[in-house]
Amino acid sequence: MIPIVKPYIAPKEKMMPAIEEILYSGYIAEGQAVYQFEDQLKEFLNVPNLIATNSGTAALHIALLLLGVTEGDEVISTAFTAEPTNTTIALTGAKIVWGDVEQATGLLDPISVEKKITSKTKAIVVVHYAGMVCDMDRFNTISEKYGIPIIEDAAHALGSCYLNKKIGYNSAFTCFSFQAIKHMTTVDGGALAIRDQNLVNEAKRLRWFGLDKGVSRLKNNINRAGYKYAMNNVTATIGSVQLTEMDKVLTKHLDNGKYLDDKLSKINGVKTIPYHQNTTPSYWLYTLHVEKKSDFIKMMEANGITATELHLRNDAHTLFAESKCALPGLDAFYKTYIHIPCGWWVSEEDREYIIDIIRGGW
Ligand SMILES: *Cc1c(COP(=O)(O)O)cnc(C)c1O
């Protein structure tokens, strides 16, 4: 079976000596290896400020806390995402307001979002789902017009581009995940890119109980409770090695994605995604629309190719019952969208095989 996701781990000869060294170094908690990983990642993404965390969820939560999102506030988000995008909003006590998605892309629809803005709206969370990039031209305009900051959930979007630059620089906050199945895994981990340098120290305190790492433990003074969200040296070491492989891995995703875009656009019964202007997807998953979706899934599985929706629409959860509203764009998107494999593990023979199978019909 060609899987939809697969953890990429750098070659043993490169990875194992680095892990062994750090494990027996006597310093395995947050330390130099973490700061080095942060520097490497800043360079990779070309962003000035960034902190590493122990998960993408932690990065999202810290971003919301830095904006002071709390009970009584509203945050506009999307139901088409992995749950942590929204459980972190729930943790702040704020109300989630669903924006609808574009029927063609499944990405948050700026027109719907603008309609849902109220005096209580504290933030807009956009998700670059499956590596496809949201309509940032429009979202930037909305953010400026209303003075509402944007948090980009880029858990699927390492290497995705907006205006030919890697995602991470555009908004107040951009959150990355290095969980097992993402483009780059550190086993678990995440990062938060922060546009305003003045917020970096508070971000660091929020990831470490509220304590200031720059001040001796005995002279510290906590004035706001933080969390245990720090990355450790072992994870960071894995990340530093993984990062040296990412150009290669991301190129594989991109190359396969473009191949599928090209071939699928000529096949009946499927429709490719119209990506937004000024954006380049990183193809974490390949997304397309198909007729007779359940028949398509069965046919693909019978031929050894995973085809799946991957995530449950988040408005189906009881936790978010209060936010329930009509989302006709999402209803329509769900009827036809599906993901198929296109990651680094999909070889040239695999992708030709995938196209042959789809061309054969269902
Ligand atoms: C994976 C994921 C997260 C959370 O990342 P973790 O590192 O697993 O905490 C957040 N948002 C989306 C869309 C994700 O897919």
Side-chain angles (χ1 to χ4, degrees):
M1 199 70 148
I2 305 176
I4 192 79
V5 290
K6 188 170 175 175
Y8 178 85
I9 305 288
K12 232 184 215 174
E13 315 79 68
K14 219 164 153 182
M15 183 62 84
M16 295 318 284
I19 293 181
E20 185 169 341
E21 191 184 331
I22 195 71
L23 262 183
Y24 294 99
S25 69
Y27 210 128
I28 55 177
E30 183 193 303
Q32 272 318 311
V34 173
Y35 310 136
Q36 190 196 316
F37 173 63
E38 288 176 336
D39 287 343
Q40 245 178 293
L41 197 55
K42 274 187 230 174
E43 199 182 313
F44 182 80
L45 295 171
N46 198 19
V47 298
N49 311 300
L50 166 154
I51 64 162
T53 55
N54 60 5
S55 71
T57 306
L60 283 162
H61 195 196
I62 292 174
L64 292 160
L65 293 169
L66 286 170
L67 291 175
V69 173
T70 186
E71 236 175 297
D73 295 334
E74 292 175 0
V75 176
I76 301 176
S77 179
T78 175
F80 182 53
T81 184
E83 285 78 358
T85 310
N86 294 311
T87 52
T88 46
I89 302 171
L91 284 173
T92 68
K95 185 186 171 193
I96 296 169
V97 176
W98 301 126
D100 202 357
V101 304
E102 302 159 336
Q103 185 179 338
T105 66
L107 300 171
L108 201 55
D109 181 352
I111 297 166
S112 164
V113 167
E114 187 165 13
K115 284 187 194 142
K116 306 242 171 160
I117 290 172
T118 71
S119 58
K120 293 180 180 170
T121 310
K122 214 49 190 279
I124 297 165
V125 180
V126 304
V127 180
H128 303 307
Y129 195 89
M132 301 178 280
V133 180
C134 295
D135 188 349
M136 295 317 295
D137 288 348
R138 284 217 168 90
F139 278 115
N140 286 342
T141 304
I142 291 172
S143 176
E144 273 170 39
K145 180 171 165 192
Y146 296 91
I148 299 170
I150 290 174
I151 299 171
E152 295 181 44
D153 182 340
H156 302 175
L158 186 72
S160 293
C161 292
Y162 172 53
L163 294 170
N164 292 319
K165 288 181 281 190
K166 285 185 186 130
I167 289 288
Y169 71 92
N170 175 71
S171 297
F173 301 101
T174 308
C175 306
F176 295 92
S177 166
F178 310 128
Q179 188 265 343
I181 63 172
K182 304 295 161 71
H183 279 113
M184 180 173 96
T185 180
T186 60
V187 182
D188 252 326
L192 174 63
I194 304 170
R195 201 172 49 193
D196 181 356
Q197 191 181 353
N198 297 321
L199 294 175
V200 173
N201 281 337
E202 187 170 8
K204 287 180 178 170
R205 288 192 293 272
L206 285 168
R207 85 172 164 184
W208 193 249
F209 311 122
L211 287 164
D212 189 338
K213 276 249 177 200
V215 176
S216 129
R217 191 83 172 232
L218 297 175
K219 292 194 176 128
N220 240 294
N221 176 36
I222 293 179
N223 54 38
R224 179 184 189 185
Y227 293 78
K228 179 68 189 291
Y229 281 167
M231 184 176 268
N232 65 63
N233 274 357
V234 181
T235 299
T237 298
I238 294 172
S240 285
V241 177
Q242 292 283 73
L243 206 46
T244 64
E245 299 275 308
M246 275 309 111
D247 283 337
K248 189 177 74 189
V249 171
L250 291 168
T251 302
K252 269 312 285 247
H253 281 257
L254 186 67
D255 192 42
N256 284 335
K258 287 191 160 161
Y259 175 90
L260 293 174
D261 279 340
D262 177 48
K263 300 291 176 196
L264 289 171
S265 66
K266 295 163 192 151
I267 297 179
N268 286 335
V270 308
K271 231 199 241 150
T272 53
I273 301 281
Y275 307 114
H276 284 294
Q277 214 185 324
N278 298 328
T279 74
T280 315
S282 60
Y283 300 96
W284 179 55
L285 311 170
Y286 190 84
T287 312
L288 74 158
H289 294 278
V290 295
E291 289 171 7
K292 297 179 285 165
K293 178 154 91 169
S294 57
D295 292 345
F296 179 85
I297 295 172
K298 275 189 220 125
M299 179 281 289
M300 293 290 272
E301 305 256 314
N303 286 290
I305 306 162
T306 309
T308 174
E309 292 161 336
L310 202 67
H311 290 116
L312 178 73
R313 52 187 282 174
N314 282 193
D315 57 344
H317 290 290
T318 305
L319 173 66
F320 307 128
E322 193 202 354
S323 304
K324 203 95 193 158
C325 67
L327 298 171
L330 186 57
D331 297 341
F333 179 78
Y334 252 82
K335 283 201 183 101
T336 57
Y337 96 96
I338 197 74
H339 298 303
I340 60 173
C342 80
W344 59 270
W345 59 95
V346 175
S347 66
E348 286 186 17
E349 300 82 68
D350 287 340
R351 71 191 196 185
E352 280 167 27
Y353 171 70
I354 291 171
I355 290 298
D356 283 345
I357 292 298
I358 296 176
R359 202 181 275 131
W362 60 97

